[in-house]
């Protein structure tokens, strides 16, 4: 059972459950199939020393089936009912939904389902858990209000791992293809500094055979976007976040970007719990493994490393931020 922080048993103020929802039934709503291929971070140009500190050496998978036809129909229905709660994310996304797992029990139960987690775990090759911050569970992007606005610009995610699932049938949408850059985020930053975005000959737009298919992504390391729409068709995708259970890996989060994205009453509490979980894991390792030593500096460094994520959360939360990073497009 991979759980980092249990899903809260109470809802934030102002959030209400959809009524008349079907119960999530893994036996009839899931149809988990393996991806045909997995792309590694080294294939994008990352070096071994950088990969070593990250959750997994996996970069992305080819699209694989997650939902049955019945499951995909229910998800589309849930998404349409939740559309009324869309908001912008800084200047990166015009219409996105956060906190949907506090409004739809079906969505919540899909996003924290252990069969789905285990499936992703096999793809990533490491023990994982649904993201400890439920704002990162069941995130949805909807088509923008006009063709002038991107669905989502080039970026890497504010969290380590996620899957990106098509909610609407890609065959019914003109454009709006999910694309990723066959390069590193350092290269993407160099391009952005020159006013450029990843060139078409270095991007991959995987073919999603239908709604309910997803790709697994190392979202913090793979630069990606939802490409432009050519017609204002209904276009909905869903992103579900995960973390490595091994807290010795890098945090790989940019939670300070979420100041302009999330409901603060939800964000600050979830963020604190995430930081506390990370430090709890590292402190437990320290208790188990710290040897006798007179090397004071080494002991201090171990303690500082153990609480680094909590200290960073305190500093970033105190400072605040009013922008969200992206690479344009
Ligand atoms: Fe993303």
């Amino acid at each position: 059972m991979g759980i980092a922080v249990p899903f809260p048993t109470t809802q934030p103020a102002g959030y209400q459950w959809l009524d008349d929802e079907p119960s999530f039934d893994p036996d009839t709503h899931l149809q988990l199939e393996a991806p045909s291929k997995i792309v590694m971070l080294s294939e994008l140009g990352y070096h071994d020393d950088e990969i070593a500190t990250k959750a997994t050496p996996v970069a992305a998978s080819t699209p694989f089936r997650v939902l049955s036809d019945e499951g995909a129909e229910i998800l589309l229905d849930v998404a349409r009912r939740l559309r009324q709660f869309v908001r912008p994310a800084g200047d990166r996304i015009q219409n996105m939904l956060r906190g949907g797992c506090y409004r739809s029990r079906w969505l919540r139960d899909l996003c924290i389902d252990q069969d789905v987690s285990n499936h992703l775990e096999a793809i990533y090759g490491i023990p994982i858990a649904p993201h400890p911050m439920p704002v990162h569970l069941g995130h949805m992007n909807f088509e923008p209000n006009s063709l002038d606005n991107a669905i989502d610009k080039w970026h890497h995610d504010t969290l380590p791992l996620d899957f990106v699932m098509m909610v609407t049938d890609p065959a019914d949408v003109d454009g709006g293809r999910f694309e990723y850059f066959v390069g590193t985020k350092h290269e993407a930053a160099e391009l952005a500094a020159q006013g450029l975005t990843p060139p078409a000959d270095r991007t991959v737009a995987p073919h999603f055979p239908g709604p309910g298919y997803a790709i697994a992504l190392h979202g913090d390391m793979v630069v990606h976007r939802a490409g432009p729409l050519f017609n204002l068709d209904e276009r909905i995708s869903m992103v579900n976040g995960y973390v490595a259970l091994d807290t010795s890996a890098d945090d790989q989060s940019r939670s300070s970007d979420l100041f302009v994205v999330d409901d603060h009453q939800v964000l600050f509490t979830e963020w604190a719990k995430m930081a506390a979980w990370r430090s709890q894991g590292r402190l437990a390792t320290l208790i188990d493994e710290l040897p006798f030593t007179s090397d004071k500096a080494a002991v201090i460094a171990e303690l500082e490393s153990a609480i680094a994520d909590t200290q960073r959360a305190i500093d970033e939360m105190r400072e605040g931020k009013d922008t969200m990073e992206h690479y344009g497009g």
Side-chain angles (χ1 to χ4, degrees), residues 92 141 152 155-157 162 164 178 217 219 224-225 239:
R92 207 186 91 187
N141 289 332
D152 192 355
H155 67 280
H156 65 271
D157 290 328
D162 48 78
V164 180
F178 173 87
L217 201 62
H224 57 279
R225 72 164 178 173
V239 183

Side-chain angles (χ1 to χ4, degrees), residues 74-276:
I74 296 171
L75 179 61
L76 179 58
D77 185 54
V78 167
R80 285 172 171 166
R81 294 179 71 187
L82 293 175
R83 178 188 282 269
Q84 61 182 302
F85 301 109
V86 296
R87 306 178 348 165
D91 67 344
R92 207 186 91 187
I93 312 172
Q94 189 169 38
N95 289 325
M96 53 122 225
L97 173 85
R98 305 277 286 181
C101 290
Y102 290 124
R103 301 186 189 277
S104 163
R105 293 184 178 92
W106 192 92
L107 184 65
R108 176 198 64 190
D109 292 348
L110 165 66
C111 291
I112 63 173
D113 183 79
Q114 284 296 314
D115 290 341
V116 176
S117 288
N118 291 342
H119 196 71
L120 271 291
E121 191 161 284
I123 294 168
Y124 290 124
I126 49 148
I128 60 166
H131 201 288
M133 297 172 65
V135 287
H136 286 313
L137 303 176
H139 165 114
M140 290 188 198
N141 289 332
F142 292 74
E143 75 279 358
N145 301 336
S146 80
L147 292 178
D148 299 335
N149 294 305
I151 301 170
D152 192 355
K153 295 176 179 174
W154 287 105
H155 67 280
H156 65 271
D157 290 328
T158 58
L159 73 172
L161 307 171
D162 48 78
F163 71 70
V164 180
M165 182 191 282
M166 292 305 133
V167 179
T168 43
D169 187 342
D172 295 338
V173 182
D174 189 6
R177 301 278 304 272
F178 173 87
E179 300 174 317
Y180 69 85
F181 176 41
V182 184
T184 65
K185 50 187 180 180
H186 315 301
E187 289 177 275
E190 284 168 21
L191 287 168
Q194 301 167 53
L196 302 172
T197 53
D201 63 353
R202 292 187 64 196
T203 63
V204 173
H207 172 66
F208 289 77
Y213 280 77
I215 73 163
L217 201 62
H218 195 152
D220 169 54
M221 298 295 277
V222 181
V223 176
H224 57 279
R225 72 164 178 173
L229 275 177
F230 304 117
N231 191 41
L232 264 191
D233 297 317
E234 178 185 43
R235 193 267 188 200
I236 310 171
S237 57
M238 192 269 264
V239 183
N240 199 46
Y242 294 88
V243 289
L245 279 172
D246 178 2
T247 51
S248 71
D250 286 354
D251 175 53
Q252 296 187 261
S253 295
R254 240 169 41 252
S255 298
S256 59
D257 270 25
L258 305 179
F259 267 100
V260 295
V261 174
D262 284 313
D263 182 350
H264 285 186
Q265 62 157 334
V266 179
L267 172 63
F268 298 147
T269 300
E270 291 187 359
W271 188 355
K273 289 185 182 186
M274 161 87 176

